[in-house]
Amino acid sequence: MTAKTDAEKRTGILARLRKDQSGNTVAIFAAALFPMAGLVGGAVDMARLYSVKNRLQAGCDAGSLASRKIMGNGRWDVNNDGNRFNDATYLGGLQMFDFNFENGYLGSENRARNFVEANGTVTGTASADVPMTLMRILGEEERTVSVTCTSQMKIPHTDVMFVFDVTGSMSSAIPGDPTGLSKINGLKRATKCFYEALARQNIDDVAPADCYKTSNPIGDLSTLTQLRFGFVPFDEQVNIGNILQNGYYKNTQTFQSRQADLENVWTWTLGTASATTGWLNNWSPSSPPSSPYNTRESNSGWTDVTSNASTLQGTRVFRITTATSATCATSTNNNLSGSGGLLTALSESPGSATTNNLGTTNTTPVYPASQQVTTYNQTRPVTVTQFRYLWETRSGVAGCYLERRAHSSPYTQTQTGGTSSRPINWLQRQRITGWQYKPVTFNVSALKAGGGSDTSTAYNASILLPLNESNLTVNLSGNSSSSTIRIVSNATVAWSGCIEERQTVRNQDGDPSDEFSPIPDDAYDLDIDMIPDTGDEATRWGFQLQNAVWARHNWVVFDAGGASYYEPVLADVWRATTSSSNPSGMSRNTSPGCPTAAARKLATYRDAAGATSYKNYVNALTPGGNTYHDIGLIWGARLLSPTGIFADENATTPDGQEIQRHMIFMTDGETYNVGSNYTPYGIEGWDRRRTPLGTNPTILDLNAATDARTTALCTAIKNLGNNGVTLWVVYYGTTDPTTTARMQNCATTTNNHFFQASNTQLLIESFNKIAESISELKLTG
């Protein structure tokens, strides 16, 4: 006999019941029992399947999130050693899965779970077999449930503005700091570690251990994410560089400077002399004087005359044919007047003329004479030749012949009337008699290199201002010899990129703590979003020109045991300095404190080239100067604001998406202001733009003014824009209680957004925590 299958058995029972007409109620109930069992069993088993799948999904999600968080910026060690069972990230994921889904949950069997990582994304899979209960009646023994999950770090569109204290104290190391780094180098390392954590891009001069990580970042930041960084290093100033447009700067500024006292003097030079003209041709004497030329000097030295001779007394024939030996040499023929019958005539031969200066009018020019006139005469030597007749034989012929002889001494003829003139050129100069040290207004528009375009961001590195003096050798009116005078010369005054703030308000009662809540409307310096009006100088910034500045002071010395100090002098001071060096009671330059590194607007630093640019900027940070927290905050806010002078760049991403904004404000100490500092508000002790005019501000006065402004700015920054700014504050290396409280209140929240780092490791860990908070760990599948 062949065994029947279960289906055949069930069919047989139903058939018999159908044929058996007795007991119909029992038959109907029995027939309905199997479908009802299927329905009830299906509902129970489906609920179990749903519960197991949910728990599997929860375990998978929790495990992938845990693995991704443990992984941090790197990748799993399994990618390096091939053994993921030694990988803390993998094991951490399994542990979190197991915490959420215990083996055997609701009778499940054959639990399987696995996590893998690729390009910074953790992907998990999990499955379990679920045995059926009542569904077994319908032939369902078990079902397998499977889930998947994916976790990755997702960074929203983010702007991060660093506002860093780079004051002089940052050059020192923190006692006991295990890294041995100076604070500025600790900050540089923390900033680069922060970049690696957020931008997922490696910087080549920090190792994972420097950042307290196990591996370098993997470069998996989505190309769809806009991540930008900006920088504002500050001390008592901020170096703005060429960030601002030409139209945002003033054209004229007043500086604590100096101005020369001048007097006008006339100096002269002579032009070219004209040719000598006006000769009278009145050579005198017109003929040789009788003595000694009418007297025969000697009987020797006479030479024959062989032809007729032209003389002053007319022509003389070389031979008198009518004469006899008795009459030849007599006064009949040698009859020159006054010669005693010894000479018959004279002739003369003028030599070269010599011009002689007889004198000049206005030899020493006196203003306003217009010319010098010089008179001349000319002299020339005249050689006199004497003639006589003598009876002698020439070539065998005796006769009365003419002879001649040059007189041994010439005589001098003179003519007059010659004159020449030369113009006197007068130039009025301004001679320095001394310097007035006082506020002086200069035109500084030459620093703007935009050619008149208010939107240009081109600037010249320096400007010429009339602040120096030089010596000049001149001829003064009435002086025949040259003189040396002092004249004003231009100084080349460099602009390093720092600024003077626009209009502010002055505290009058000595207590600024109640001045800035709310910020006064006319405190333009604290208005983050105000766009300068080219028609209103009060709304525009000025240039900080340290070499345009002198400060006036008295050196005050107390009794023994007291302090000595410079007391500002507000009145004008006169000094007859003879050079551009420090005159007594003046400081050529006060402390300017302009950071060497210029602030940077928000920009992306993506890929290796971006990492290098970021690194180079951070490495160039140099400490110096005193601590003004407010100036760092205001410029950090201006460069970050979505509604201010850079709204076109900051409001949204280029495709219109929203941006999350963060400011990281790091300082290593309390406010420290000094009256001799050249700050954005001028020289504090002299300009007193923030403090009462009638009082020399102390360090405490200046610190209080800065602290009050800092507090007001912290509030304004947190409320900046539509969604505000998350303000992170890191207080590094010191523990001043008052400053700690102020910095805590400055942060967005005192607990989650304020960090106090007593050493470099804690600073780096604080920056890492901020980066983790900015990043959003998300399930993506």
Side-chain angles (χ1 to χ4, degrees):
M1 183 176 177
T2 303
K4 292 184 179 179
T5 66
D6 289 342
E8 289 172 335
K9 292 177 180 177
R10 289 195 295 269
T11 302
I13 294 171
L14 292 173
R16 289 196 301 271
L17 288 172
R18 183 175 63 248
K19 292 178 181 179
D20 188 354
Q21 297 296 317
S22 63
N24 284 343
T25 300
V26 174
I28 292 171
F29 176 79
L33 183 61
F34 291 101
M36 289 176 65
L39 290 173
V40 174
V44 172
D45 286 340
M46 285 303 294
R48 292 177 62 243
L49 287 171
Y50 181 78
S51 179
V52 169
K53 184 170 185 177
N54 280 346
R55 293 298 292 272
L56 275 176
Q57 188 67 60
C60 186
D61 291 345
S64 66
L65 285 170
S67 293
R68 184 59 187 85
K69 185 172 184 179
I70 295 170
M71 187 178 73
N73 295 327
R75 287 180 173 169
W76 286 8
D77 293 338
V78 68
N79 293 321
N80 299 319
D81 65 17
N83 182 6
R84 75 176 159 189
F85 297 106
N86 293 329
D87 191 327
T89 50
Y90 173 72
L91 296 177
L94 294 185
Q95 183 178 13
M96 187 57 66
F97 179 93
D98 292 349
F99 180 78
N100 282 272
F101 190 95
E102 297 179 357
N103 197 13
Y105 174 72
L106 292 183
S108 60
E109 301 172 341
N110 302 321
R111 182 189 66 174
R113 70 268 198 267
N114 190 35
F115 297 100
V116 296
E117 177 269 330
N119 296 321
T121 298
V122 175
T123 300
T125 58
S127 64
D129 293 335
V130 181
M132 297 293 97
T133 55
L134 296 178
M135 287 292 291
R136 290 176 179 272
I137 298 173
L138 301 180
E140 290 286 340
E141 296 291 337
E142 66 180 17
R143 285 193 179 183
T144 299
V145 179
S146 301
V147 296
T148 62
C149 55
T150 304
S151 294
Q152 64 178 174
M153 286 288 188
K154 296 287 285 185
I155 300 175
H157 300 304
T158 301
D159 286 344
V160 178
M161 180 60 64
F162 295 113
V163 178
F164 287 160
D165 181 337
V166 292
T167 54
S169 58
M170 287 290 289
S171 62
S172 62
I174 301 171
D177 189 328
T179 66
L181 295 173
S182 65
K183 286 188 279 187
I184 191 66
N185 287 331
L187 173 64
K188 292 176 183 180
R189 181 178 292 182
T191 307
K192 289 182 280 189
C193 292
F194 180 91
Y195 171 84
E196 288 193 341
L198 202 58
R200 319 277 179 77
Q201 184 69 46
N202 183 50
I203 289 181
D204 57 19
D205 66 351
V206 288
D210 294 331
C211 300
Y212 304 98
K213 302 288 185 181
T214 58
S215 60
N216 283 321
I218 57 175
D220 66 333
L221 182 66
S222 170
T223 57
L224 300 178
T225 297
Q226 175 180 285
L227 174 61
R228 301 190 302 172
F229 299 95
F231 299 89
V232 177
F234 73 92
D235 45 37
E236 63 222 47
Q237 264 287 3
V238 166
N239 188 333
I240 298 304
N242 63 349
I243 286 177
L244 298 178
Q245 300 177 10
N246 284 182
Y248 291 172
Y249 282 105
K250 298 177 180 179
N251 290 320
T252 60
Q253 285 180 245
T254 299
F255 300 90
Q256 298 292 339
S257 189
R258 70 176 186 174
Q259 188 176 60
D261 279 348
L262 303 170
E263 67 174 358
N264 294 328
V265 293
W266 287 101
T267 64
W268 57 266
T269 57
L270 295 176
T272 303
S274 65
T276 303
T277 59
W279 295 112
L280 299 178
N281 293 315
N282 56 344
W283 290 104
S284 178
S286 58
S287 60
S290 296
S291 176
Y293 302 107
N294 286 4
T295 302
R296 188 193 307 169
E297 274 189 303
S298 171
N299 287 326
S300 62
W302 291 87
T303 60
D304 296 340
V305 178
T306 59
S307 62
N308 294 344
S310 177
T311 70
L312 293 175
Q313 290 73 30
T315 300
R316 294 292 184 265
V317 298
F318 76 97
R319 179 184 180 188
I320 303 175
T321 57
T322 60
T324 65
S325 60
T327 62
C328 178
T330 65
S331 59
T332 302
N333 297 308
N334 292 333
N335 56 2
L336 181 66
S337 175
S339 68
L342 301 177
L343 298 174
T344 182
L346 301 172
S347 69
E348 60 185 0
S349 176
S352 299
T354 298
T355 301
N356 305 294
N357 187 328
L358 299 181
T360 304
T361 62
N362 298 316
T363 301
T364 301
V366 177
Y367 184 80
S370 61
Q371 66 177 0
Q372 285 184 336
V373 178
T374 304
T375 59
Y376 302 89
N377 70 6
Q378 284 186 325
T379 59
R380 63 185 181 184
V382 181
T383 301
V384 177
T385 301
Q386 298 174 324
F387 294 87
R388 74 177 180 176
Y389 282 104
L390 188 67
W391 188 267
E392 60 184 354
T393 299
R394 295 181 182 176
S395 301
V397 179
C400 187
Y401 289 99
L402 187 66
E403 290 183 327
R404 64 184 172 193
R405 177 184 183 278
H407 197 278
S408 61
S409 298
Y411 77 93
T412 300
Q413 281 186 327
T414 302
Q415 77 161 337
T416 60
T419 61
S420 70
S421 63
R422 62 193 309 174
I424 302 173
N425 301 315
W426 293 101
L427 178 62
Q428 189 178 61
R429 293 185 180 275
Q430 293 184 309
R431 173 170 59 187
I432 297 175
T433 60
W435 291 87
Q436 290 282 348
Y437 291 80
K438 63 180 184 178
V440 181
T441 300
F442 295 110
N443 189 317
V444 294
S445 60
L447 283 168
K448 304 177 185 182
S453 170
D454 283 339
T455 61
S456 171
T457 56
Y459 292 90
N460 293 315
S462 62
I463 189 174
L464 297 177
L465 295 179
L467 293 170
N468 284 353
E469 61 181 43
S470 58
N471 291 330
L472 181 67
T473 300
V474 295
N475 300 307
L476 291 173
S477 174
N479 288 2
S480 59
S481 59
S482 61
S483 305
T484 299
I485 64 172
R486 293 181 295 135
I487 62 171
V488 175
S489 58
N490 282 326
T492 299
V493 178
W495 179 51
S496 56
C498 283
I499 56 93
E500 289 194 23
E501 265 298 340
R502 51 195 180 187
Q503 175 181 295
T504 188
V505 293
R506 180 184 294 110
N507 170 254
Q508 297 293 356
D509 61 7
D511 179 13
S513 62
D514 57 355
E515 297 284 341
F516 303 103
S517 182
I519 294 174
D521 291 340
D522 51 353
Y524 297 165
D525 62 316
L526 300 181
D527 190 326
I528 295 170
D529 286 343
M530 174 181 280
I531 297 175
D533 180 354
T534 56
D536 184 356
E537 291 288 85
T539 68
R540 301 209 274 181
W541 290 284
F543 300 98
Q544 185 203 57
L545 301 179
Q546 63 185 80
N547 285 335
V549 167
W550 276 265
R552 308 173 301 284
H553 61 259
N554 292 324
W555 179 240
V556 179
V557 181
F558 287 103
D559 295 334
S564 301
Y565 67 99
Y566 286 113
E567 181 181 61
V569 174
L570 298 189
D572 297 354
V573 175
W574 187 88
R575 292 287 187 273
T577 179
T578 57
S579 72
S580 58
S581 61
N582 293 354
S584 177
M586 308 295 147
S587 296
R588 178 64 180 85
N589 295 306
T590 55
S591 303
C594 185
T596 56
R600 280 192 178 183
K601 294 194 297 181
L602 292 160
T604 58
Y605 293 86
R606 193 178 290 275
D607 65 34
T612 299
S613 175
Y614 183 102
K615 174 192 72 175
N616 291 343
Y617 180 86
V618 171
N619 286 344
L621 296 176
T622 304
N626 296 139
T627 308
Y628 283 62
H629 296 123
D630 55 345
I631 193 62
L633 286 167
I634 186 61
W635 279 105
R638 285 169 177 155
L639 300 187
L640 181 64
S641 174
T643 50
I645 55 178
F646 301 109
D648 290 347
E649 304 171 38
N650 295 350
T652 63
T653 64
D655 59 355
Q657 297 187 52
E658 289 188 355
I659 299 172
Q660 291 187 8
R661 296 174 179 86
H662 299 263
M663 180 182 291
I664 300 176
F665 176 53
M666 191 292 307
T667 182
D668 79 323
E670 59 267 28
T671 306
Y672 187 74
N673 298 181
V674 179
S676 61
N677 286 153
Y678 185 4
T679 75
Y681 302 97
I683 307 177
E684 298 276 27
W686 282 263
D687 289 300
R688 303 182 185 179
R689 298 175 190 169
R690 305 189 303 162
T691 57
L693 274 177
T695 306
N696 178 23
T698 66
I699 290 176
L700 294 178
D701 294 333
L702 296 170
N703 290 350
T706 295
D707 291 342
R709 291 165 184 268
T710 297
T711 298
L713 285 168
C714 290
T715 300
I717 290 168
K718 288 181 283 191
N719 295 323
L720 187 62
N722 295 329
N723 299 317
V725 170
T726 301
L727 181 51
W728 307 84
V729 178
V730 181
Y731 190 21
Y732 178 31
T734 53
T735 56
D736 173 64
T738 303
T739 303
T740 300
R742 184 166 54 255
M743 293 298 105
Q744 283 179 321
N745 292 328
C746 183
T748 293
T749 64
T750 58
N751 294 327
N752 297 326
H753 297 89
F754 172 77
F755 298 88
Q756 190 155 8
S758 58
N759 58 42
T760 300
Q761 178 176 345
L762 293 176
L763 177 73
I764 294 171
E765 290 176 351
S766 297
F767 273 56
N768 287 341
K769 289 177 181 177
I770 296 172
E772 291 174 4
S773 297
I774 293 174
S775 298
E776 293 183 357
L777 185 59
K778 288 186 176 181
L779 294 169
T780 56

